[in-house]
Amino acid sequence: MVPYDLYRLLRCPTCGSRDLIVTDGGVACAACHAEYPRRNGYLDLMPRGVEFGYVSKYVSEEEELAHELDYRDLAPPLLAAGVRNRALRRLLDLRPTDIVLDSGCGNGRFAAWNANRVRLMVGVDPATLFADEAIKTVALVQGDARRLPFADGMFDKAFSIDVLEHFPRDVIDAYLSETARVLRPGGRFLVFSNTREPSRLQPLVEASRWLGRQFVRAGVYDFEREARRKSDHIKALATWEDVLEAMRHAGLRPVRVVFWNSVATSFVEHVLMKLGEAVVGRSRREAPHRAAAASTDDGAPIGEGTAREIRARQRMRARLQRRGPVYYALLAVTLFMELDLWLFGRARSGSYFIVVEKPEVRRLIED
Ligand SMILES: [Zn+2]
């Protein structure tokens, strides 16, 4: 959606002017005359006439990925996404007066899940594969996080889920300093991402992976879709020191850290849920070779593993909307996964939540 409150936050992403005029079709800049059209449920605020060196795979292959990402319908926040979402609410302490930015919102699911808890939820992403529910509940902007179309200090809070690991270092620096710019002094920013650091609890994680591999070998399921999803991870912040240094560099002060050692989580993801998907996602009255002929919109074939997982997810979503026993079973599994945060949250590992703060401006009174 494009609510009126959104316009008050904006500045021109091309020239930085706040002198914007709301028109029938969108917004126009009175200073540089750039025009930013309103599209179906969002404002196009990409900087004009700027070439960025790095473009995310989600932008360059938007059409191609649209089918695989299966982005339109939202399930309730459960499993790994549920753990992230519960941590987001707890660590960022969202309030009804907050204006909040989800920078790199993807299909907008985290923004949509929390939109009713805050005064205004804004989602920005260069790709526009937004979920239907996000279009209904979130103020959506197509924009580039290196040049955010918002004036300084407009947001009380911001968050970034599964974003940093996709960017090279120079993009991370620009992303963090832009986020710091649009936060108000004292405003807080939650990041969930991962470094290359192994967990000290890795042997426990490996045990689940090993078990998962036995099922793959037996043909029960595969990890094709996961492999595709993780294929553009760069992890330029390779160590925890790199993370802290990048935050300092952007003028952001760490206030809270929780690591996610995926002990319970990897058992759930590599074994429990994949077994569930293999059962729920079986194609009905359809030979496997026919199901494998399913294809994306541009005709590229997608594998049976991907097709099966999407089918499983679609069937599950229909059931989950009814909040029946399946929903509560998955909520229980989500809470089981969240034990990883409570039990092992202080043990340094690759996956982390960090809350950073933009320092208040200190007035130095000298006698
Ligand atoms: Zn302008």
Side-chain angles (χ1 to χ4, degrees):
M1 63 176 186
V2 183
Y4 186 75
D5 276 351
L6 176 63
Y7 294 112
R8 297 188 311 106
L9 311 177
L10 301 180
R11 77 171 206 186
C12 175
T14 305
C15 76
S17 168
R18 287 215 68 188
D19 200 357
L20 296 175
I21 300 152
V22 180
T23 63
D24 284 346
V27 178
C29 176
C32 73
H33 306 291
E35 291 186 22
Y36 304 101
R38 191 174 54 242
R39 315 255 189 219
N40 183 27
Y42 66 90
L43 265 182
D44 168 5
L45 284 159
M46 289 297 275
R48 302 295 190 246
V50 180
E51 285 288 327
F52 290 111
Y54 166 86
V55 178
S56 155
K57 187 184 78 165
Y58 293 100
V59 177
S60 57
E61 299 172 33
E62 182 166 333
E63 296 287 313
E64 210 177 303
L65 283 167
H67 181 77
E68 274 180 59
L69 288 172
D70 187 21
Y71 66 94
R72 241 175 217 293
D73 295 317
L74 288 190
L78 292 165
L79 306 173
V83 175
R84 285 169 178 73
N85 194 52
R86 289 170 55 84
L88 162 68
R89 283 179 187 174
R90 194 169 57 244
L91 295 171
L92 211 47
D93 186 25
L94 297 175
R95 293 172 184 217
T97 53
D98 285 339
I99 297 179
V100 183
L101 174 66
D102 180 356
S103 187
C105 67
N107 72 344
R109 57 188 179 146
F110 289 96
W113 286 329
N114 297 288
N116 64 356
R117 294 173 170 251
V118 299
R119 187 169 131 211
L120 181 65
M121 180 68 77
V122 179
V124 60
D125 204 283
T128 58
L129 304 173
F130 301 124
D132 296 339
E133 197 186 326
I135 288 174
K136 267 185 252 161
T137 61
V138 179
L140 291 170
V141 168
Q142 180 182 21
D144 193 294
R146 286 163 285 191
R147 194 135 6 147
L148 287 173
F150 309 110
D152 298 359
M154 287 290 127
F155 293 92
D156 300 291
K157 282 159 193 168
F159 61 90
S160 163
I161 310 278
D162 300 312
V163 176
L164 291 191
E165 65 270 26
H166 298 280
F167 294 157
R169 181 60 203 259
D170 59 324
V171 177
I172 291 173
D173 286 338
Y175 176 95
L176 293 178
S177 68
E178 271 294 86
T179 310
R181 180 181 67 76
V182 302
L183 273 179
R184 69 166 167 78
R188 291 193 168 188
F189 177 36
L190 175 123
V191 172
F192 175 72
S193 183
N194 40 80
T195 63
R196 295 180 184 279
E197 291 196 10
S199 162
R200 270 182 285 165
L201 305 164
Q202 198 59 25
L204 292 169
V205 176
E206 288 305 323
S208 294
R209 292 227 168 109
W210 179 86
L211 198 54
R213 277 200 299 277
Q214 307 314 305
F215 285 114
V216 171
R217 207 163 291 162
V220 180
Y221 54 67
D222 63 54
F223 287 96
E224 180 195 337
R225 192 156 173 258
E226 278 83 353
R228 173 99 187 163
R229 222 174 355 225
K230 286 175 183 163
S231 58
D232 106 331
H233 287 191
I234 299 171
K235 299 190 183 177
L237 302 179
T239 67
W240 180 240
E241 281 75 21
D242 292 343
V243 175
L244 295 177
E245 198 272 316
M247 295 300 174
R248 246 195 322 269
H249 189 256
L252 294 163
R253 188 178 64 87
V255 287
R256 189 85 195 274
V257 176
V258 178
F259 293 104
W260 189 355
N261 289 275
S262 52
V263 177
T265 301
S266 62
F267 177 74
V268 169
E269 290 191 331
H270 287 265
V271 182
L272 203 58
M273 293 319 297
K274 298 305 287 188
L275 279 176
E277 274 172 18
V279 174
V280 179
R282 266 185 326 219
S283 42
R284 289 169 188 159
R285 277 169 291 155
E286 207 177 356
H289 66 271
R290 281 193 48 206
S295 68
T296 51
D297 293 341
D298 63 352
I302 57 173
E304 166 59 10
T306 301
R308 179 173 53 215
E309 197 194 306
I310 292 176
R311 245 188 336 262
R313 275 165 199 268
Q314 284 166 347
R315 281 176 200 161
M316 287 306 281
R317 268 201 298 265
R319 283 186 218 179
L320 292 174
Q321 298 305 341
R322 296 195 293 270
R323 297 286 150 109
V326 178
Y327 172 83
Y328 288 101
L330 287 180
L331 183 60
V333 176
T334 307
L335 298 178
F336 172 69
M337 291 165 81
E338 195 183 348
L339 274 180
D340 282 338
L341 303 189
W342 297 109
L343 296 177
F344 314 117
R346 285 163 173 275
R348 191 162 146 164
S349 76
S351 294
Y352 61 88
F353 297 89
I354 185 169
V355 180
V356 290
E357 188 175 83
K358 177 174 178 174
E360 304 270 0
V361 182
R362 291 212 182 85
R363 281 165 213 268
L364 295 174
I365 302 165
E366 295 180 43
D367 305 51

Short mmCIF file of all heavy atoms in Angstrom, two decimals, residues 11-17 19-20 28-34 36, ligand 1:
data_model
loop_
_atom_site.label_atom_id
_atom_site.label_comp_id
_atom_site.label_asym_id
_atom_site.label_seq_id
_atom_site.Cartn_x
_atom_site.Cartn_y
_atom_site.Cartn_z
N ARG A 11 12.50 11.58 0.72
CA ARG A 11 13.32 12.57 0.05
C ARG A 11 13.71 11.96 -1.29
O ARG A 11 13.65 10.74 -1.49
CB ARG A 11 14.55 12.95 0.88
CG ARG A 11 15.67 11.93 0.84
CD ARG A 11 16.94 12.46 1.51
NE ARG A 11 18.11 11.79 0.96
CZ ARG A 11 19.34 11.97 1.43
NH1 ARG A 11 19.57 12.80 2.43
NH2 ARG A 11 20.35 11.34 0.89
N CYS A 12 14.13 12.80 -2.21
CA CYS A 12 14.44 12.32 -3.55
C CYS A 12 15.69 11.43 -3.51
O CYS A 12 16.74 11.87 -3.04
CB CYS A 12 14.68 13.51 -4.48
SG CYS A 12 15.23 13.03 -6.13
N PRO A 13 15.58 10.18 -3.98
CA PRO A 13 16.74 9.28 -3.95
C PRO A 13 17.81 9.66 -4.97
O PRO A 13 18.94 9.21 -4.87
CB PRO A 13 16.14 7.92 -4.27
CG PRO A 13 14.91 8.22 -5.05
CD PRO A 13 14.38 9.53 -4.53
N THR A 14 17.45 10.50 -5.92
CA THR A 14 18.42 10.88 -6.95
C THR A 14 19.25 12.08 -6.52
O THR A 14 20.47 12.06 -6.61
CB THR A 14 17.68 11.19 -8.28
OG1 THR A 14 16.88 10.06 -8.63
CG2 THR A 14 18.67 11.49 -9.39
N CYS A 15 18.57 13.15 -5.99
CA CYS A 15 19.32 14.37 -5.65
C CYS A 15 19.28 14.70 -4.16
O CYS A 15 19.99 15.61 -3.71
CB CYS A 15 18.81 15.55 -6.47
SG CYS A 15 17.22 16.19 -5.88
N GLY A 16 18.47 13.98 -3.38
CA GLY A 16 18.44 14.22 -1.94
C GLY A 16 17.49 15.34 -1.50
O GLY A 16 17.36 15.60 -0.30
N SER A 17 16.80 15.99 -2.43
CA SER A 17 15.90 17.08 -2.07
C SER A 17 14.66 16.56 -1.34
O SER A 17 14.17 15.46 -1.62
CB SER A 17 15.46 17.82 -3.34
OG SER A 17 14.39 18.69 -3.03
N ASP A 19 12.01 18.39 -1.45
CA ASP A 19 10.97 19.14 -2.14
C ASP A 19 10.27 18.24 -3.15
O ASP A 19 10.52 18.33 -4.35
CB ASP A 19 11.62 20.35 -2.82
CG ASP A 19 10.60 21.43 -3.12
OD1 ASP A 19 9.40 21.20 -2.86
OD2 ASP A 19 11.00 22.48 -3.64
N LEU A 20 9.40 17.36 -2.62
CA LEU A 20 8.72 16.40 -3.50
C LEU A 20 7.25 16.79 -3.64
O LEU A 20 6.64 17.29 -2.70
CB LEU A 20 8.82 14.99 -2.93
CG LEU A 20 10.23 14.40 -2.83
CD1 LEU A 20 10.19 13.05 -2.14
CD2 LEU A 20 10.85 14.24 -4.22
N ALA A 28 6.91 13.53 -7.74
CA ALA A 28 7.89 14.16 -8.62
C ALA A 28 8.80 15.04 -7.79
O ALA A 28 8.37 15.62 -6.79
CB ALA A 28 7.17 14.99 -9.69
N CYS A 29 10.08 15.13 -8.17
CA CYS A 29 11.04 15.95 -7.45
C CYS A 29 11.07 17.35 -8.07
O CYS A 29 11.29 17.50 -9.27
CB CYS A 29 12.42 15.32 -7.49
SG CYS A 29 13.68 16.36 -6.70
N ALA A 30 10.84 18.37 -7.23
CA ALA A 30 10.82 19.74 -7.74
C ALA A 30 12.24 20.23 -8.06
O ALA A 30 12.42 21.15 -8.84
CB ALA A 30 10.18 20.67 -6.70
N ALA A 31 13.24 19.61 -7.45
CA ALA A 31 14.63 20.04 -7.67
C ALA A 31 15.23 19.45 -8.94
O ALA A 31 15.74 20.17 -9.79
CB ALA A 31 15.47 19.69 -6.45
N CYS A 32 15.20 18.11 -9.07
CA CYS A 32 15.87 17.48 -10.23
C CYS A 32 14.88 16.98 -11.28
O CYS A 32 15.27 16.43 -12.29
CB CYS A 32 16.78 16.35 -9.78
SG CYS A 32 15.92 14.85 -9.25
N HIS A 33 13.58 17.15 -11.01
CA HIS A 33 12.51 16.80 -11.94
C HIS A 33 12.38 15.29 -12.22
O HIS A 33 11.74 14.90 -13.20
CB HIS A 33 12.64 17.57 -13.26
CG HIS A 33 12.71 19.05 -13.05
ND1 HIS A 33 11.64 19.78 -12.60
CD2 HIS A 33 13.75 19.92 -13.17
CE1 HIS A 33 12.00 21.06 -12.46
NE2 HIS A 33 13.29 21.16 -12.81
N ALA A 34 13.01 14.48 -11.37
CA ALA A 34 12.81 13.04 -11.53
C ALA A 34 11.38 12.69 -11.15
O ALA A 34 10.80 13.33 -10.27
CB ALA A 34 13.80 12.28 -10.64
N TYR A 36 8.68 9.63 -9.93
CA TYR A 36 8.64 8.32 -9.29
C TYR A 36 7.21 7.80 -9.29
O TYR A 36 6.39 8.22 -8.48
CB TYR A 36 9.17 8.43 -7.86
CG TYR A 36 10.57 9.01 -7.81
CD1 TYR A 36 10.78 10.35 -7.47
CD2 TYR A 36 11.67 8.23 -8.14
CE1 TYR A 36 12.05 10.89 -7.45
CE2 TYR A 36 12.95 8.76 -8.13
CZ TYR A 36 13.14 10.08 -7.78
OH TYR A 36 14.40 10.61 -7.77
ZN ZN B 1 15.53 15.14 -7.01
#
